[in-house]
Amino acid sequence: ACFARLGSGGRGILPMAHARRSIDAKIFAGEYYDAQQLAKTLFRRLCMQGQPARAAELVVETANKFCGTEAYELAADLGKDLVESWQTAQEEPSEEHFHSMEAILAGIPAHAAVAQKYALTQRALKWSTTSCPRGHPRLHRLAAQAYLDEEKYGRCQAHLVFCGDSPALVELVRQWRQRGYPDEGDLFSLRTLLIVMSLGDFKTAREFWTSMYPAASAAIGPPPPTGEDIAVSPSGAVGAAAVDPAQTSPARADGSASASSVELPNSAHSVLEEEPPEPLVQCGCFLLVALEARNLAFFRQVRAKYTLVIRRDCTFDKYLDEIEACFLDGRVQQAGLGALVSALLGGTQDDGKGDWPTSASWAKLA
């Protein structure tokens, strides 16, 4: 009742300290729902009075207190109200917003308040699309970390690919591979490579692949010169130093290859003579070379030669179609990136080992 007296101009306002003591008293008494309602009421009043910073501070502080009593659902629900206020005020994402989100989510441990926690990250990602059409990378990273902590690797990947963080992708794949069969390890890597390239992020894709397979990457094709990256023009052409695909040749049509089937720099012969790359690794290396060479014919030749590799995952052809359209101005039969993202986040059935997402839209995964 006392909160009904709150108004503008400072008259009749319950002092902030008194309000917080009232909330603290409710929490101490175990009356968590009542405490949350008091916090929500004060939060709305502060927003109406044009004090968004104090309102956010109240929400974060109260949410942390709820987390301290393991009332994680109430903490996440308060965070959702905070994001809704940003959306209503049409605020652009800023460091202050990210810090508030990080502070709230940091208090919610893995496997706790699952529905409420991911509803919060979903709401935040949707809000951020006004400035970042795919959702802000900082918020994707928060969602990815939450899923990683719960060992939901497929859902973690679905967010991490938007962050441009190759070391984090390497760590994710290395953990995820341990959950699959030994002969499927390279599938996790190749899938990640194709997803990142299909999103137009060649720099992260190259860094990721080079970190995963340094010897094979050095042998089959060098990266672009330092500081130079592939830039996608409006026509889809690639602007980077060309690599001559005549210096490399993909494996045989059955998906197998030997060290002698690839034209290699002298420094790499000793490495590959001991242990030639697996066909999956060769495929990824040659695809990177094809994009660096701006060579559509070579790209399609790699696809043809490694048909058996590509058939091992029903989404690979979809990713390759999008990569061809994005970087090589090839023609595809899909509706562009929107169709790809749908396939990315909902196209592969979970086999119980990888926890690959099966929902129909990226928003439901956020």
Side-chain angles (χ1 to χ4, degrees):
C2 58
F3 283 97
R5 297 172 53 241
L6 294 176
S8 60
R11 296 182 178 179
I13 299 178
L14 189 66
M16 177 68 75
H18 186 187
R20 289 181 172 177
R21 284 197 297 271
S22 297
I23 294 170
D24 290 345
K26 292 288 186 182
I27 294 175
F28 182 78
E31 299 172 1
Y32 303 132
Y33 178 77
D34 289 345
Q36 187 201 46
Q37 295 307 302
L38 287 175
K40 283 181 175 240
T41 300
L42 182 56
F43 168 71
R44 287 192 295 269
R45 293 292 182 177
L46 289 171
C47 289
M48 291 173 62
Q49 293 167 12
Q51 302 182 60
R54 295 185 72 190
E57 179 186 351
L58 173 73
V59 166
V60 172
E61 180 182 291
T62 307
N64 287 336
K65 289 176 180 177
F66 281 137
C67 290
T69 61
E70 299 185 358
Y72 304 117
E73 295 85 355
L74 299 181
D77 186 60
L78 271 180
K80 192 175 176 183
D81 282 2
L82 178 59
V83 174
E84 288 176 354
S85 74
W86 298 337
Q87 189 171 13
T88 300
Q90 298 182 337
E91 297 184 24
E92 293 292 319
S94 68
E95 283 297 318
E96 289 75 15
H97 297 125
F98 300 140
H99 289 159
S100 295
M101 284 290 297
E102 290 165 357
I104 294 171
L105 290 171
I108 304 176
H111 309 293
V114 173
Q116 293 82 359
K117 175 171 58 181
Y118 294 122
L120 171 58
T121 57
Q122 175 186 355
R123 174 75 66 170
L125 277 166
K126 284 185 175 181
W127 158 69
S128 71
T129 56
T130 57
S131 60
C132 300
R134 300 176 185 175
H136 199 283
R138 288 279 293 276
L139 298 174
H140 276 296
R141 187 182 299 277
L142 286 175
Q145 186 61 53
Y147 282 121
L148 182 63
D149 291 343
E150 297 179 357
E151 299 183 343
K152 297 179 179 179
Y153 299 115
R155 293 176 181 268
C156 172
Q157 182 191 58
H159 290 283
L160 201 55
V161 293
F162 293 102
C163 298
D165 188 342
S166 57
L169 285 169
V170 169
E171 180 59 28
L172 165 67
V173 170
R174 285 176 176 166
Q175 290 187 37
W176 198 1
R177 289 171 61 153
Q178 297 175 10
R179 302 285 293 273
Y181 294 111
D183 63 343
E184 293 180 344
D186 293 328
L187 274 174
F188 294 97
S189 304
L190 184 58
R191 182 188 297 120
T192 301
L193 175 73
L194 296 181
I195 291 171
V196 175
M197 288 197 298
S198 67
L199 294 173
D201 188 356
F202 184 87
K203 179 178 181 292
T204 301
R206 170 55 108 164
E207 291 173 351
F208 163 76
W209 198 253
T210 300
S211 297
M212 291 296 301
Y213 306 103
S217 297
I220 295 180
T226 303
E228 196 167 317
D229 190 20
I230 288 185
V232 184
S233 69
S235 66
V238 180
V243 177
D244 184 3
Q247 300 301 314
T248 58
S249 53
R252 295 186 295 270
D254 62 359
S256 64
S258 64
S260 61
S261 69
V262 182
E263 296 277 345
L264 303 174
N266 291 333
S267 61
H269 274 292
S270 59
V271 175
L272 296 188
E273 284 173 359
E274 295 177 4
E275 187 176 356
E278 294 294 325
L280 278 160
V281 179
Q282 295 178 37
C283 181
C285 290
F286 284 127
L287 289 171
L288 287 167
V289 169
L291 295 187
E292 290 170 348
R294 308 188 300 274
N295 192 309
L296 178 59
F298 184 63
F299 181 86
R300 289 178 172 174
Q301 182 186 7
V302 174
R303 291 187 67 170
K305 293 293 185 180
Y306 287 91
T307 298
L308 296 182
V309 167
I310 294 168
R311 284 178 179 174
R312 293 185 65 180
D313 189 306
C314 64
T315 64
F316 282 3
D317 271 319
K318 297 176 182 179
Y319 301 146
L320 288 166
D321 284 345
E322 189 68 24
I323 293 166
E324 183 175 313
C326 181
F327 291 102
L328 300 172
D329 204 20
R331 298 182 62 185
V332 297
Q333 299 181 6
Q334 293 198 80
L337 183 61
L340 171 78
V341 172
S342 177
L344 158 64
L345 301 180
T348 305
Q349 186 65 34
D350 182 11
D351 61 3
K353 300 185 292 297
D355 188 34
W356 187 251
T358 56
S359 62
S361 69
W362 79 272
K364 291 181 180 180
L365 265 176

